Amino acid sequence: MIKTMFVGLVVTGLSACGAVQHMMYKTTGDVMVNFASDHQVPFTLGTEDMGINCAMSEALTPMLMSFGRVRDEPHKLAVITYGSAGLCAEAMSWEEELRYMRAIKGQNANEAEDALIAQKRLNVVAAKRNYIAYQHLVAAYGEPGGECPDLDEELDEFIWMMGMVSGLQALNNEITSTSGLGVPKNIAAKVERAATCVDDDRWWGVPMALRATIWAMLPGAEPQGEDAMKRLKMAAKKGERAGVRLAHVFQALAYFGKGDTENVKQVIRDHVKAKKKKDANPDYKLLDELSTTLLMAMSDRMWTDAKGYRTPIGGLGTFWDDQKASAADTIDLDDIL
């Protein structure tokens, strides 16, 4: 009898201890997730160090998501952290693409094959991360493309927009990887409709840029009476005025998809001029710097294809075939006066 009571007390005590421990974990999880939403995300968006952001996203994601074992899964934060981590993998794939291009120029078949394999592997990682981000978007707000969800706060609108970008990137990464990963091919059509759920002026022209890029790149997607390239130009101007120039990236991608490299160059030139003319929005410096990083990657591809090396230091917005200024153009007017 005494032995039975003792065992019962031990079991009860262990159960109570486990309940207290679970409650502590849940409270810790709530605090961490709320802190990340209220402070870490805004702080990070106001910085401009892409490398630190990559390191943070890759390191922080497992910890934040582990709290889903003791509380509701932090779907909204997962859209941001997985999407950022996907970009990190994609950035590494760009380096392998440049290595591949240099190897082709140098007629080094083994080096080229190795770089191509590495590039595809990294695109597999990027596709998986971006698709997970998109799946968390669906879990938090419902499937894009139907009725618009309740986006009560500015952060909700931001997450909705970034989640759609991640969905498109997942599809693009899967195609580049040449691997069948199961990313739905209808994501583009869903994003095209879902982009209307957020205000275009408030979000620097990005929603319209998303839609117009899809129109430009998918045959038959452009609605009657619309002009994708004109819409992209309008979106780019909105981004320039707001100091968040993400629309430049979509504009360049649309031209790149058409094989129009001269207009890709012009978009990059416009981006550099716009950055000199107006500082980045202090609340979204990271996104403006992301725009520059993505355009730098496109510039590096073009430079490497033409010259065998990437964009020179301080050379973003300039190209190997630019016409040199004539002596008349470079005369210092102060010397004349």
Side-chain angles (χ1 to χ4, degrees):
M1 179 69 177
I2 293 175
K3 184 178 179 180
T4 303
M5 290 177 61
F6 176 76
V7 172
L9 287 171
V10 169
V11 171
T12 302
L14 289 173
S15 299
C17 182
V20 171
Q21 190 178 55
H22 179 83
M23 184 175 66
M24 289 175 62
Y25 287 157
K26 182 181 183 303
T27 301
T28 302
D30 290 341
V31 170
M32 289 295 296
V33 170
N34 290 334
F35 177 83
S37 298
D38 296 342
H39 298 287
Q40 185 159 356
V41 170
F43 173 82
T44 303
L45 288 173
T47 65
E48 53 187 0
D49 191 317
M50 295 302 301
I52 286 178
N53 179 61
C54 264
M56 182 203 70
S57 299
E58 292 186 319
L60 189 62
T61 298
M63 186 187 73
L64 281 176
M65 297 312 299
S66 69
F67 288 120
R69 294 165 62 94
V70 294
R71 64 178 303 281
D72 292 339
E73 201 165 0
H75 294 299
K76 295 180 181 181
L77 277 178
V79 175
I80 297 175
T81 60
Y82 272 109
S84 296
L87 180 62
C88 300
E90 187 170 0
M92 288 188 284
S93 80
W94 302 337
E95 292 299 317
E96 296 299 335
E97 181 180 6
L98 297 182
R99 183 163 70 95
Y100 169 79
M101 295 171 74
R102 291 192 298 270
I104 290 294
K105 276 190 169 294
Q107 298 184 341
N108 188 333
N110 289 339
E111 181 76 1
E113 183 66 21
D114 185 74
L116 186 61
I117 292 168
Q119 181 193 1
K120 289 182 178 182
R121 286 183 181 179
L122 286 164
N123 269 288
V124 168
V125 175
K128 288 180 178 178
R129 291 177 178 179
N130 278 313
Y131 187 47
I132 289 173
Y134 180 81
Q135 288 174 309
H136 280 288
L137 179 79
V138 173
Y141 300 103
E143 188 76 50
E147 186 176 345
C148 291
D150 293 328
L151 303 172
D152 300 323
E153 300 180 5
E154 183 175 328
L155 182 61
D156 289 307
E157 292 190 12
F158 175 75
I159 292 171
W160 179 255
M161 189 170 61
M162 291 296 102
M164 290 189 292
V165 172
S166 291
L168 287 179
Q169 281 301 103
L171 186 58
N172 182 60
N173 295 143
E174 182 191 53
I175 293 170
T176 306
S177 74
T178 66
S179 301
L181 303 173
V183 178
K185 301 300 182 287
N186 62 353
I187 282 182
K190 291 180 179 180
V191 167
E192 193 276 332
R193 295 190 296 270
T196 62
C197 295
V198 289
D199 185 76
D200 195 58
D201 291 327
R202 182 177 187 178
W203 295 107
W204 333 297
V206 170
M208 177 49 72
L210 274 170
R211 301 182 68 204
T213 301
I214 293 168
W215 297 346
M217 300 183 79
L218 293 183
E222 184 176 86
Q224 188 175 2
E226 286 286 3
D227 186 321
M229 304 318 293
K230 285 185 179 179
R231 286 288 192 177
L232 281 164
K233 190 171 184 178
M234 292 168 60
K237 291 299 180 184
K238 286 185 181 181
E240 290 174 13
R241 290 193 294 269
V244 184
R245 289 156 276 240
L246 268 175
H248 280 153
V249 177
F250 295 106
Q251 189 183 22
L253 284 171
Y255 280 126
F256 188 80
K258 292 177 177 293
D260 188 349
T261 55
E262 288 307 310
N263 267 314
V264 174
K265 291 178 185 178
Q266 190 55 51
V267 171
I268 295 173
R269 292 188 188 103
D270 292 342
H271 180 78
V272 173
K273 289 177 184 177
K275 290 198 74 163
K276 291 178 179 177
K277 187 176 180 180
K278 184 181 180 64
D279 290 338
N281 183 322
D283 293 330
Y284 294 98
K285 284 183 182 179
L286 188 70
L287 295 184
D288 196 61
E289 188 62 25
L290 172 62
S291 307
T292 305
T293 300
L294 294 170
L295 291 172
M296 180 70 84
M298 298 186 75
S299 176
D300 286 346
R301 289 190 193 102
M302 291 189 289
W303 269 93
T304 302
D305 184 50
K307 302 296 290 183
Y309 53 82
R310 69 190 70 209
T311 310
I313 296 293
L316 183 64
T318 66
F319 298 93
W320 60 95
D321 55 353
D322 288 344
Q323 294 297 316
K324 301 297 182 183
S326 67
D329 292 332
T330 58
I331 290 176
D332 188 345
L333 293 180
D334 290 336
D335 293 339
I336 300 176
L337 299 174

